[in-house]
Amino acid sequence: MTLQIMSEMDVAHHESSGEIKSAMHTWRYRHHFTYKADQGKNIIVQCNLCLPRVNLLSTSKTSTSNLKKHLDRTHLGCEARPDVKRGRKKEEHNGEESRHCQLKKLKAEIISKCMTQAKIDELIFNFIVEDCQSFYVLEQPGFRKLVSGLTEGLKSMDRVTLFTKVDQGFSRMREELMAKLSSIQYVCTTADIWTANNRSFFGMTCHWIDRHTLERKSAALGFSRLQGRITHDTIAGRIHDIHVAFNIESKVQTTVTDNGSPFISVFKEFAVEGPESEDDIGFYENVSAVLEGEPEQDMLLFLPTVQRCASHTLELIVTEDFWQAVSQGPMCQLHYSTMAKVYSLWSKCHHLQVGMDAAEEIGKMALVVPAVIRWNVEYCAVQKIVSLTERELTELCARLEVPRLQQEEMAFLKEYVTVFHPLAFALELFQAEQKCYLGLVIPTVLSLKNKLNEQKDSATYFGDVIGAIAVAIDVRFQELFTSTEAKIATATTPQFRLWWMAASDREEMCSLLATEASQIDPGSITEANPSRNVTTIESEDDFFSYGSVKPAIQIQQRGVMDEIRKYVEGTGKSLECLQDFPRMKHLFLKYNTTLPSTAPVQRLFSQKGNLVTSQRNFLTDDYFERIQLLRYNSHVCTLLTE
């Protein structure tokens, strides 16, 4: 108390003597400091709260911000009460806290209310599953400290708890998925085999179209380990077992696979031939079950119709058929010399240690280096090289010490990019998932042929190659062009209808649609969307109303041919217009549920690059499968309950 009175008298003395003319005499916290001396435009004071340690502080005569910062940083929570000259009552400030203390308490209250242990466990579970993190992350001291520091003392779950939650999440996901599939009439599955680190896995995804919104939905059904020799019996058994496990064996329209021999041979070998195979369902006896001592049981495994991957077919055309045409043509030497330099450039960028200057130059040019052996990735990389200026490319080759591309070689690459751009675009269409249907394939392939033929006469280097690729398209897609299912799928897609067909074939197609539509069970036809019948005022004709119904034929009263005619004559390209044609909508759901590509199941394998590592080798095959299915299905199912 004596020290405080002395400090106030000292400051008052210097104020009255005119030695200082500062903001101190009006500051509410001046009782915490003792004036010591002037120093030009500043004054020197001693902090009373730091005593007995001598702590001299400097502040401007016209500002006390430095002193306020000192109080906030060093003496947080001190009684910073105004002096008596401001007329405040002492008891009003005894319980006053600084703004920082209030914010700290508010933060603690928010964390205590929002960040419960259950919420922290849910966030950690999603972190492990969605990002494919190792379970050992939970045992790391740094991770535990991070969780404890961010949550004000809450703990991270251990691995035993995580295993329990994986079991609970998997059970809940499976129940929800089976409930969704039970209400679906048509589904399509995609299957593929993936091998990494001497471990093989069989993956399968399921796809359907929502009958109300016409949106594509997807889910993963299997990611199981394949042990031993992979045979036809093994593959067919996995396909059948997964279909039966989810009770969709009678709903699967097709199973989409690549053009590799394992899958194609399975369906060829065990498909039923003859007049009784109208549904095109293959079956065979489970040889392994018989050999294991159950000869009396007739184990029949049913296989649905197989649909070859259209994107893989295009990949084969642009690799095998393209290379064969190039090797037999006059530009063989030019092609090999050009691509050798391009691959050398990519190899230097990807593998060799380059200097910082070269690395910065590569980053500045945003050079694409293909890390995946796929043609469309390679095409994008060539496209990026062509986009570089001559000066940039010359400097880059010099820095990386690779042979420089000559003028003729650059012209060759530019024509390569121009000629095969339609093919790259077609591949992108086929590898989509949400807006890709079987009805997209025939119009895409026909348009691709037309665009390639348009460039044949003007091409300098690729004229003969274009002709060879056009022939390869006819050969490899011949089965699709003659497929009744593919034609119906295309005809029921509003974007194409019958515009892609020759005029002489359209009447026959209408008859085929009428035959299919007449076989539909009336109970399975959904009514037209009521929201589309609401009258909107867009013109004067829409405004005037006289209380009578317009003489439009109701959809429910249309005949089959009448509905087909009106649909064929329509011009709308959106799927929404199918709501006005219930029979066409039903046929669309039936035939366009099929995907033209195995891209979804490939994404199941390749979405993360660290799926199978040494840290995950300790996981059993069952838990590894559960983690992958939980990750893929997180957008369609609830993983955890509160």
Side-chain angles (χ1 to χ4, degrees):
M1 183 64 181
T2 305
L3 181 62
Q4 178 179 333
I5 295 174
M6 289 179 62
S7 64
E8 293 179 357
M9 292 177 62
D10 196 9
V11 172
H13 168 72
H14 288 281
E15 289 174 352
S16 60
S17 62
E19 293 181 10
I20 55 173
K21 296 180 180 179
S22 67
M24 283 284 291
H25 72 284
T26 59
W27 191 38
R28 59 190 302 188
Y29 302 132
R30 68 175 187 168
H31 59 283
H32 290 308
F33 301 93
T34 302
Y35 171 82
K36 290 298 182 181
D38 282 350
Q39 192 177 34
K41 296 182 179 180
N42 296 341
I43 60 174
I44 307 299
V45 296
Q46 163 68 40
C47 177
N48 298 332
L49 298 176
C50 292
L51 293 175
R53 181 173 63 89
V54 177
N55 188 8
L56 299 179
L57 304 173
S58 175
T59 185
S60 172
K61 292 181 179 180
T62 59
S63 174
T64 58
S65 59
N66 286 349
L67 304 182
K68 185 64 169 62
K69 290 178 181 178
H70 172 73
L71 290 178
D72 292 341
R73 295 172 181 173
T74 308
H75 307 295
L76 184 64
C78 68
E79 183 185 356
R81 66 174 180 83
D83 61 15
V84 294
K85 290 185 177 181
R86 295 187 59 88
R88 300 288 184 91
K89 295 182 179 180
K90 180 178 180 179
E91 54 270 16
E92 292 180 359
H93 310 287
N94 288 337
E96 183 181 343
E97 297 177 345
S98 68
R99 183 172 60 90
H100 293 274
C101 291
Q102 294 176 355
L103 292 177
K104 187 175 181 180
K105 285 189 175 182
L106 180 61
K107 176 184 175 183
E109 292 176 1
I110 294 175
I111 291 177
S112 63
K113 292 180 180 179
C114 300
M115 288 298 181
T116 61
Q117 187 64 52
K119 183 65 176 178
I120 294 300
D121 291 346
E122 180 184 354
L123 293 174
I124 293 175
F125 177 83
N126 292 335
F127 167 71
I128 295 294
V129 171
E130 293 178 5
D131 292 338
C132 297
Q133 297 293 332
S134 169
F135 284 19
Y136 283 95
V137 171
L138 302 180
E139 307 293 341
Q140 300 299 322
F143 182 78
R144 290 183 173 274
K145 290 179 181 178
L146 175 65
V147 174
S148 178
L150 293 176
T151 59
E152 296 291 335
L154 296 179
K155 297 180 180 180
S156 169
M157 73 172 79
D158 54 19
R159 285 199 298 155
V160 176
T161 305
L162 179 59
F163 277 111
T164 303
K165 290 190 176 294
V166 168
D167 292 337
Q168 295 173 351
F170 182 77
S171 298
R172 182 178 178 83
M173 177 210 70
R174 188 181 181 88
E175 292 175 0
E176 290 188 8
L177 187 55
M178 292 189 68
K180 290 179 183 292
L181 293 175
S182 64
S183 61
I184 304 300
Q185 188 173 3
Y186 303 112
V187 298
C188 161
T189 56
T190 63
D192 201 359
I193 296 176
W194 177 61
T195 302
N197 295 342
N198 298 321
R199 301 171 72 184
S200 297
F201 295 88
F202 177 86
M204 176 171 282
T205 59
C206 178
H207 310 270
W208 66 94
I209 300 175
D210 188 281
R211 61 179 180 178
H212 300 296
T213 63
L214 298 179
E215 293 181 356
R216 173 79 69 180
K217 304 293 183 181
S218 304
L221 302 183
F223 196 99
S224 56
R225 173 85 179 274
L226 293 177
Q227 294 181 331
R229 185 166 173 261
I230 301 175
T231 62
H232 297 167
D233 179 74
T234 303
I235 297 174
R238 291 300 172 95
I239 295 174
H240 174 78
D241 291 344
I242 293 176
H243 288 173
V244 172
F246 287 90
N247 198 25
I248 59 173
E249 66 272 18
S250 62
K251 301 180 179 183
V252 179
Q253 294 297 102
T254 55
T255 295
V256 186
T257 68
D258 59 23
N259 294 340
S261 58
F263 286 102
I264 298 302
S265 299
V266 166
F267 289 93
K268 279 186 176 181
E269 182 174 351
F270 301 111
V272 177
E273 297 180 0
E276 296 181 359
S277 60
E278 293 180 355
D279 293 332
D280 238 358
I281 298 179
F283 68 90
Y284 73 98
E285 188 173 354
N286 191 343
V287 180
S288 62
V290 175
L291 295 179
E292 289 175 1
E294 300 179 4
E296 296 85 358
Q297 298 182 2
D298 191 17
M299 300 289 292
L300 297 180
L301 306 184
F302 291 87
L303 301 181
T305 305
V306 64
Q307 172 66 43
R308 298 195 181 192
C309 176
S311 60
H312 189 221
T313 302
L314 277 184
E315 289 269 4
L316 294 177
I317 291 175
V318 83
T319 52
E320 296 182 1
D321 300 320
F322 172 81
W323 287 107
Q324 183 177 1
V326 167
S327 61
Q328 299 175 356
M331 61 162 190
C332 176
Q333 187 61 37
L334 176 61
H335 179 270
Y336 280 113
S337 64
T338 304
M339 296 309 296
K341 293 181 180 180
V342 170
Y343 280 111
S344 176
L345 181 63
W346 290 336
S347 179
K348 279 280 188 176
C349 293
H350 188 64
H351 297 290
L352 300 182
Q353 295 292 333
V354 298
M356 287 301 298
D357 293 339
E360 293 176 0
E361 191 70 23
I362 294 172
K364 187 185 301 183
M365 297 177 184
L367 190 65
V368 178
V369 180
V372 182
I373 306 176
R374 290 189 178 279
W375 178 83
N376 53 341
V377 179
E378 179 182 301
Y379 174 84
C380 292
V382 174
Q383 192 177 37
K384 184 58 185 178
I385 291 178
V386 170
S387 67
L388 299 177
T389 63
E390 183 178 356
R391 179 181 177 182
E392 290 176 337
L393 187 59
T394 302
E395 291 180 357
L396 182 62
C397 292
R399 289 176 182 271
L400 297 178
E401 298 179 352
V402 297
R404 185 171 63 88
L405 289 166
Q406 301 299 322
Q407 186 174 0
E408 186 179 13
E409 293 170 336
M410 282 300 299
F412 176 85
L413 288 180
K414 289 180 179 179
E415 184 172 307
Y416 175 88
V417 169
T418 302
V419 168
F420 294 106
H421 176 71
L423 205 151
F425 187 83
L427 272 174
E428 291 293 330
L429 290 179
F430 288 161
Q431 292 175 356
E433 183 174 344
Q434 294 298 324
K435 297 182 179 180
C436 193
Y437 310 96
L438 180 61
L440 181 72
V441 180
I442 292 180
T444 301
V445 175
L446 293 177
S447 299
L448 174 61
K449 278 188 59 180
N450 293 335
K451 292 185 179 299
L452 288 175
N453 290 328
E454 288 173 0
Q455 303 181 78
K456 185 175 181 180
D457 296 334
S458 60
T460 305
Y461 304 101
F462 291 95
D464 296 336
V465 175
I466 290 175
I469 289 180
V471 173
I473 289 175
D474 290 333
V475 173
R476 292 189 180 270
F477 285 98
Q478 181 180 6
E479 182 179 350
L480 184 73
F481 289 146
T482 58
S483 170
T484 302
E485 291 79 7
K487 292 180 179 179
I488 296 177
T490 307
T492 55
T493 304
Q495 185 178 359
F496 307 111
R497 302 184 193 249
L498 302 185
W499 301 324
W500 55 278
M501 300 187 72
S504 57
D505 298 331
R506 295 180 182 179
E507 192 64 32
E508 181 181 354
M509 191 66 212
C510 288
S511 301
L512 179 60
L513 290 175
T515 302
E516 289 289 328
S518 61
Q519 297 175 359
I520 299 175
D521 181 10
S524 63
I525 300 178
T526 58
E527 298 294 336
N529 191 349
S531 62
R532 292 180 56 85
N533 296 327
V534 178
T535 303
T536 57
I537 301 175
E538 297 181 356
S539 64
E540 292 183 0
D541 292 335
D542 295 329
F543 175 77
F544 294 109
S545 175
Y546 308 101
S548 58
V549 180
K550 293 184 178 181
I553 302 176
Q554 299 298 322
I555 295 177
Q556 295 82 354
Q557 299 175 353
R558 292 177 182 169
V560 175
M561 282 304 299
D562 183 40
E563 180 178 332
I564 292 175
R565 294 292 183 190
K566 290 183 178 296
Y567 167 77
V568 170
E569 294 171 0
T571 57
K573 296 185 178 182
S574 172
L575 294 180
E576 187 67 17
C577 67
L578 287 174
Q579 305 288 3
D580 293 334
F581 305 96
R583 293 180 181 84
M584 292 297 98
K585 176 183 175 182
H586 184 91
L587 293 179
F588 174 84
L589 294 174
K590 180 179 180 179
Y591 290 100
N592 277 291
T593 294
T594 301
L595 280 170
S597 171
T598 58
V601 72
Q602 293 173 6
R603 295 188 184 102
L604 175 64
F605 295 139
S606 62
Q607 189 169 356
K608 296 291 181 181
N610 59 346
L611 294 183
V612 182
T613 64
S614 58
Q615 289 180 316
R616 288 174 184 79
N617 287 338
F618 296 101
L619 281 177
T620 63
D621 295 333
D622 288 340
Y623 274 102
F624 185 74
E625 178 180 16
R626 293 181 180 188
I627 287 293
Q628 304 313 317
L629 297 185
L630 285 171
R631 173 182 62 85
Y632 192 94
N633 296 332
S634 60
H635 64 289
V636 293
C637 299
T638 304
L639 303 187
L640 284 179
T641 58
E642 293 294 339

